[in-house]
Amino acid sequence: MTVAAPLLRARNLVKHFDLRHGLARLVQPQHGHVVRAVDDVELEIRRGETLGLIGESGSGKSTLGRLAIRLLDADAGEVRFDGTDLLRLEPAELVRLRRRMQIIFQDPYASLNPRRTVEDIVGLGLRIHERSAAPSTRDRVVDMLERVGLSAAHLHRYPHQFSGGQRQRIGIARALVLRPDFVVCDEPVSALDVSIQAQIIALLNELKRDFGLTYLFISHDLSVVAHLADRIAVMYLGRIVETGPASRLIEAPAHPYTQALFAAVPRIDAGGERPPRLQGDMPSALDPPAGCRFHTRCPHAGERCRRVEPAPIEVAAGHTAACHLHGDGV
Ligand code: SF4
């Protein structure tokens, strides 16, 4: 089997937020003032695949998604998109490349301008990138609306006239109208009812197949990611702790954090012994624990875990976990 070349590759990616001028000191004066949202992350997304990025809220997933398409500037590291180093691009070059990299946001209520019609919202990218004349823009907007299950009848309506699921369809149309190669889907169904979630997931799968898209699909919900992902990366407190093929990672998660996340998902075939559920809250990213960042919640933590940060170890073909249990022991 040939493995597709990476469309996106991030190396040693770092993003810290300095809150010195914010409220962090008042709220948590015992901690530092730098949120280590993304801390030395490696990520590879192959052309045509869906990489599911999972983790609890506050793990750094959304920040990583924004760094991947340079909606945020990294403090250090490298992001290569189709061979081009995004972090070194001049603004005009970045704008040109940006049409190939789009994002679908979590909240379909907040991410659409309430004062713009659907035609304006979906056609904005075409007007910016192609300076298309109005009639041809409208044709392409209508074509895209039909691809996402809406129609020309919706062109002149405003976001408040739609349901949550329809708004997310508008957000998808806006992201795909420029026919990008790569789309960051940032919790795109989290704000929707379960029945609507299934429809939007089916739509995203269909559009991926028809348009040959590559997705970075961010979610805290494992059951959602399991429906879409070819591979899964698990993030905890700014670090990737496990990556692997989705089927393998679901069947045999190797990192105790991933095991605990999966233990919390209800399963019909819940036979055999299940790992313990997650205990306690995730520590603050203002002051992450030394050694393995998961050691404060890990049922297997030993003395070595508190001192030495584990490096990723290959536990099977294409499957890595950063945990001492798979290396020199805890
Ligand atoms: Fe648990 Fe230690 Fe593995 Fe971290 S390195 S996940 S604390 S066993």
Side-chain angles (χ1 to χ4, degrees):
M1 193 181 82
T2 51
V3 176
L7 179 62
L8 187 127
R9 180 178 275 164
R11 290 206 190 290
N12 308 114
L13 210 52
V14 174
K15 182 66 183 176
H16 293 173
F17 295 102
D18 191 333
L19 303 182
R20 216 168 332 200
H21 307 297
L23 293 174
R25 291 207 132 174
L26 302 176
V27 178
Q28 292 182 307
Q30 74 277 27
H31 294 308
H33 49 77
V34 175
V35 176
R36 296 163 72 169
V38 171
D39 223 1
D40 199 12
V41 160
E42 311 271 316
L43 198 68
E44 205 171 274
I45 306 176
R46 296 169 197 153
R47 197 179 293 275
E49 81 170 349
T50 296
L51 178 73
L53 181 61
I54 63 173
E56 292 164 283
S57 116
S59 58
K61 308 183 298 295
S62 290
T63 303
L64 181 55
R66 282 158 176 73
L67 293 175
I69 55 174
R70 209 179 145 186
L71 273 187
L72 273 177
D73 280 329
D75 297 330
E78 180 185 273
V79 181
R80 285 196 173 270
F81 176 79
D82 207 4
T84 301
D85 185 349
L86 288 189
L87 306 187
R88 297 198 196 289
L89 284 181
E90 295 297 326
E93 296 171 310
L94 181 62
V95 168
R96 272 198 294 280
L97 200 61
R98 170 104 355 101
R99 64 172 298 158
R100 297 181 57 195
M101 308 176 292
Q102 295 290 317
I103 185 165
I104 298 166
F105 294 100
Q106 170 178 0
D107 188 348
Y109 295 88
S111 63
L112 304 178
N113 186 333
R115 281 186 281 281
R116 298 279 179 198
T117 63
V118 169
E119 181 174 7
D120 287 343
I121 291 168
V122 177
L124 181 65
L126 292 170
R127 291 195 299 279
I128 290 174
H129 288 277
E130 300 186 358
R131 302 182 205 286
S132 304
S136 83
T137 303
R138 178 169 300 168
D139 290 346
R140 289 171 66 185
V141 169
V142 170
D143 179 51
M144 198 62 237
L145 288 178
E146 288 171 351
R147 298 301 296 255
V148 301
L150 299 170
S151 73
H154 297 113
L155 274 177
H156 304 300
R157 298 196 194 159
Y158 291 86
H160 74 267
Q161 296 175 286
F162 294 89
S163 67
Q166 285 176 318
R167 287 185 211 203
Q168 198 52 297
R169 288 173 193 269
I170 297 167
I172 293 169
R174 174 179 60 182
L176 298 193
V177 74
L178 285 163
R179 298 290 199 271
D181 301 294
F182 176 55
V183 182
V184 175
C185 306
D186 186 6
E187 302 262 13
V189 298
S190 304
L192 305 175
D193 292 345
V194 173
S195 59
I196 308 295
Q197 286 188 358
Q199 293 172 15
I200 297 294
I201 289 168
L203 175 65
L204 288 169
N205 264 333
E206 188 185 309
L207 293 168
K208 178 187 177 234
R209 189 191 60 224
D210 292 352
F211 294 163
L213 298 167
T214 302
Y215 286 151
L216 173 61
F217 193 96
I218 299 169
S219 181
H220 67 281
D221 187 338
L222 298 183
S223 51
V224 166
V225 169
H227 279 101
L228 284 140
D230 301 299
R231 287 190 309 126
I232 292 177
V234 184
M235 199 162 181
Y236 186 77
L237 262 184
R239 296 277 172 110
I240 302 285
V241 296
E242 182 164 5
T243 54
S247 54
R248 155 107 199 158
L249 207 124
I250 291 165
E251 282 303 310
H255 194 283
Y257 177 58
T258 318
Q259 291 167 358
L261 283 180
F262 279 100
V265 178
R267 278 175 24 180
I268 302 164
D269 61 331
E273 204 174 314
R274 306 197 74 185
R277 286 172 171 239
L278 272 175
Q279 300 296 322
D281 295 328
M282 194 161 63
S284 171
L286 288 164
D287 188 15
C292 172
R293 294 185 178 195
F294 188 54
H295 84 249
T296 56
R297 303 167 82 192
C298 180
H300 310 289
E303 189 271 332
R304 186 175 161 77
C305 304
R306 288 181 265 278
R307 283 188 302 107
V308 182
E309 174 133 33
I313 294 165
E314 187 154 52
V315 294
H319 181 187
T320 61
C323 172
H324 293 311
L325 288 174
H326 303 284
D328 296 335
V330 300

